Amino acid sequence: MSAAKLTPPRVDLVGRLDAKSAFSQINLTLLELLEASGRWAVGHRSGPSAKSTASPPDLTIWQDWEDDFASAQTPTTGKLAAIRPWDFGPYPPTWAEKIRRDCDELWIHSSWTRQLALRSGVPSEHIRVIPLGVDCDRFCPEGDPMALPSQCRSFRFLFAGATVRRKGFDIAVDAFLEAFDPGEDVCLVVKDRTDGVFYSGQQGVDARLRLEPYVEAGNVAFVHEHLPIDDLAALYRACDVLVLPYRAEGFALTAAEAMACGTPCLVPRFGACLDYCDDDNALFVSPRRICLPVAREIAYNTLGFTAKVDEVDFCEVPVEVLTRRMREIFEHGKQDLRARGVLAAETIRTRFSLGSMARNLDEAIDSLVSGRARRGRGQVETLR
């Protein structure tokens, strides 16, 4: 008698796939990795209140930013893993309580976010770090660079991402304008996301307007349109350094993508990027750390959701420090940058590829589906 065919565990992903946001892109990647594994019966729902059309899942992976996390309905059957990074310090107490009460695991992407979750009272056994992965077949040093406007100067700093204060766009603009005179052979290329669903009304309009007079001379170039992956990789290859003086990041996928293309990054020596940036493959700037009690309600996106936080912990790159560092990098030339770029691409290819992410994801699902539920334990662990 042949053995009965076993039904594979059912895994549901909850979260939007079609929004113009990093979260939708990550959800698409997660869904593709789950389906490519072939080990799970995979389902998808756009939000926690959406009904599943199949049998109850053995595991729900929840990354939905269009419902209020603290009050959103959570599944009552199967295990639950919430992907919920928080960048600016310890998690809001209501979030930490929901994670302890309703979730079997919190999945986050960096050692920095793990520290923040621990400081919030989320038990260590509830936390799993699953770094994001980069498609290194497409984000790679091989391939043509993007053809930028002909007037663009030959040494190119790139700012890529939402032009918001959290990512330090205002600092990058101030430093670039302080560091260089019009007519010097240097350009700041800005790839922004003007239509991001979570950044409406937050873009650094004033900073962008300050750059406009330098476009014609070739010292500034804007790339506003949404770029397919291959075009985005070509843009990274067309530039010499990604400058990202962020105040807070949960992983900084843009930096990892640029590194995979052989473009080293200029980043703060603080936070999430330290998982993959070091003195050999990246360029650092020393920030000030801002850690203080606040006890206030803050809006964490533009959809009207707020959360009360007790403490903030982030960094601030002084404009004058970034100004000097950008000047040093420009005057030092491109040879050192190429050597760092080779090491940067190797780091991402060997440790932060989609293959690495898929292996971590499979391990996490195996552990949860085969293990005991942890919800409702109410334990508190602190790290100070």
Side-chain angles (χ1 to χ4, degrees), residues 5 12 34 59 122 141 164 169-171 183 190 234 239 263 348 350 373:
K5 184 176 181 180
D12 273 9
L34 289 170
L59 169 65
V122 179
V164 297
F169 177 62
D170 56 315
I171 299 170
V190 178
C239 298
T263 302
I348 302 303
T350 56

Side-chain angles (χ1 to χ4, degrees), residues 65-253:
W65 286 81
E66 297 189 31
D67 280 287
D68 182 27
F69 179 72
S71 60
Q73 177 184 350
T74 53
T76 57
T77 59
K79 306 292 181 65
L80 176 61
I83 302 177
R84 201 72 185 180
W86 182 261
D87 306 331
F88 271 105
Y91 279 54
T94 55
W95 288 26
E97 172 59 26
K98 189 177 188 70
I99 292 164
R100 289 194 299 267
R101 184 188 67 236
D102 294 347
C103 301
D104 295 289
E105 286 191 352
L106 169 68
W107 290 359
I108 36 81
H109 309 308
S110 67
S111 302
W112 168 245
T113 310
R114 182 179 187 275
Q115 293 179 39
L116 298 179
L118 285 171
R119 286 166 54 186
S120 311
V122 179
S124 59
E125 66 267 26
H126 275 59
I127 304 169
R128 187 182 296 269
V129 178
I130 301 180
L132 296 177
V134 176
D135 184 347
C136 293
D137 290 332
R138 302 172 76 180
F139 290 105
C140 59
E142 297 77 28
D144 294 329
M146 176 179 285
L148 294 171
S150 58
Q151 71 267 29
C152 282
R153 304 294 178 147
S154 65
F155 194 104
R156 295 161 181 172
F157 289 96
L158 171 66
F159 180 94
T163 53
V164 297
R165 287 184 60 80
R166 179 173 70 81
K167 294 183 179 290
F169 177 62
D170 56 315
I171 299 170
V173 170
D174 288 345
F176 179 80
L177 294 179
E178 284 288 329
F180 304 108
D181 294 325
E184 288 194 84
D185 189 22
V186 60
C187 180
L188 177 63
V189 181
V190 178
K191 169 65 186 82
D192 59 1
R193 300 181 61 137
T194 57
D195 56 356
V197 64
F198 297 111
Y199 299 124
S200 176
Q202 295 185 15
Q203 293 91 348
V205 175
D206 291 343
R208 290 208 307 272
L209 289 174
R210 291 181 61 206
L211 294 176
E212 292 284 356
Y214 302 92
V215 172
E216 187 173 347
N219 295 115
V220 172
F222 290 100
V223 181
H224 292 304
E225 66 270 20
H226 175 75
L227 295 180
I229 286 179
D230 293 332
D231 290 344
L232 183 57
L235 175 62
Y236 290 136
R237 289 192 289 265
C239 298
D240 299 293
V241 181
L242 177 81
V243 54
L244 189 64
Y246 60 76
R247 292 176 169 92
E249 278 284 0
F251 183 77
L253 182 58

